[in-house]
């Protein structure tokens, strides 16, 4: 069996477990941030789960890198997987792949290409927004001069940032919070462009189909 076949089989076998690991990571991180009054043992459990899921992602990345036999070429062609391993904030995006596995039946996608792009972009936006809200709230709530003092403030800020609106009524003041803001801005622009481009392409196809079906002379 060649390396590509082994890598494909490994990816097929690990998509669902890693998607579940992403859900566990997001849930444990949310509990750690949103329930500060829980017993210390539960905080330790949440921390253990987040570290364990990172270990699973790192193991998966190392195995696929080894099976590919491409060394640095694997990093260039799998840049999102690299970022997911390096940046915990992007780890919930693996849930999108789990969603894709569920949507496939008999090896074929249930949704059209345009619907898939819009759906995946929408799911990615929700996941990034929620994870970004948690991260910013964790670092901003106790900072001097912070305007993001509640989780509701953080969600509002994440929504306006991802939508590229940026009202400026609440803004991060810590270095980590501002770094997260830069990442969300870039992701918001990319996701908005993907949805807009896919929707525009769908409209063009619909109008072109109507023109082709119209009888001559009309």
């Amino acid at each position: 069996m060649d390396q590509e076949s082994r890598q494909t089989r490994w990816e097929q076998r690990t998509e669902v477990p890693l998607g579940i690991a992403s859900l566990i990571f997001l849930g444990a991180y949310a509990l750690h941030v949103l329930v500060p009054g829980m017993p210390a043992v539960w905080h330790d459990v949440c921390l253990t789960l987040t570290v364990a899921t990172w270990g699973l992602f790192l193991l998966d990345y190392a195995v696929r890198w080894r099976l590919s036999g491409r060394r640095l070429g694997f990093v260039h062609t799998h840049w999102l997987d690299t970022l997911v391993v390096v940046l915990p904030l992007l780890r919930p995006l693996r849930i999108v792949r789990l969603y894709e596995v569920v949507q496939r039946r008999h090896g074929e996608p249930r949704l059209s290409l345009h619907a898939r792009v819009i759906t995946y972009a929408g799911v990615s936006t929700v996941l990034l927004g929620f994870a970004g809200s948690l991260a910013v709230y964790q670092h901003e709530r106790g900072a001097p001069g912070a305007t993001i003092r509640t989780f509701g403030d953080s969600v509002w800020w994440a929504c306006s940032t991802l939508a590229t609106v940026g009202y400026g009524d609440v803004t991060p003041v810590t270095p980590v919070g501002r770094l997260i803001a830069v990442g969300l801005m870039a992701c918001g622009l990319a996701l908005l462009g993907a949805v807009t481009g896919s929707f525009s392409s769908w409209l063009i196809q619909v109008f072109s189909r109507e023109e082709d079906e119209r009888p001559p002379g009309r």
Side-chain angles (χ1 to χ4, degrees), residues 5-217:
S5 299
R6 287 187 297 173
Q7 182 181 351
T8 301
R9 290 186 60 185
W10 172 266
E11 291 177 352
Q12 291 174 347
R13 291 177 178 177
T14 56
E15 285 297 345
V16 173
L18 288 177
I20 296 175
S22 300
L23 289 172
I24 294 175
F25 166 81
L26 191 59
Y29 183 49
L31 287 175
H32 176 73
V33 174
L34 298 178
V35 191
M38 72 170 61
V41 62
W42 288 110
H43 276 292
D44 294 338
V45 169
C46 292
L47 180 61
T48 301
L49 288 175
T50 55
V51 174
T53 54
W54 177 79
L56 289 177
F57 283 109
L58 183 61
L59 175 63
D60 170 70
Y61 186 85
V63 171
R64 289 193 293 131
W65 176 80
R66 177 68 176 176
L67 292 176
S68 69
R70 301 181 57 188
R71 299 186 179 181
L72 291 180
F74 178 83
V75 178
H76 295 156
T77 56
H78 295 75
W79 58 270
L80 180 58
D81 294 321
T82 305
L83 289 178
V84 166
V85 172
V86 176
L87 301 176
L89 185 62
L90 299 181
R91 204 164 299 157
L93 288 180
R94 289 300 298 252
I95 300 175
V96 178
R97 291 190 176 183
L98 177 61
Y99 177 81
E100 183 177 3
V101 172
V102 174
Q103 286 294 315
R104 289 179 176 272
R105 290 182 178 178
H106 306 294
E108 294 293 335
R110 296 178 56 191
L111 301 175
S112 66
L113 176 60
H114 300 99
R116 289 169 63 196
V117 171
I118 293 175
T119 301
Y120 297 159
V123 174
S124 299
T125 300
V126 172
L127 293 172
L128 281 173
F130 184 61
S133 299
L134 289 172
V136 167
Y137 177 57
Q138 180 184 17
H139 291 90
E140 293 289 322
R141 57 187 172 186
T147 57
I148 301 176
R149 299 186 178 276
T150 66
F151 184 64
D153 293 337
S154 182
V155 172
W156 168 252
W157 167 83
C159 291
S160 62
T161 301
L162 283 170
T164 67
V165 176
Y167 287 105
D169 50 348
V170 287
T171 56
V173 297
T174 63
V176 176
R178 291 177 176 177
L179 182 62
I180 295 172
V182 173
L184 285 185
M185 291 175 195
C187 291
L189 288 172
L191 292 171
L192 182 62
V195 172
T196 304
S198 182
F199 184 69
S200 301
S201 177
W202 175 76
L203 286 179
I204 292 174
Q205 287 188 3
V206 171
F207 293 148
S208 299
R209 191 179 306 117
E210 291 180 354
E211 288 293 334
D212 294 339
E213 294 175 354
R214 183 176 301 176

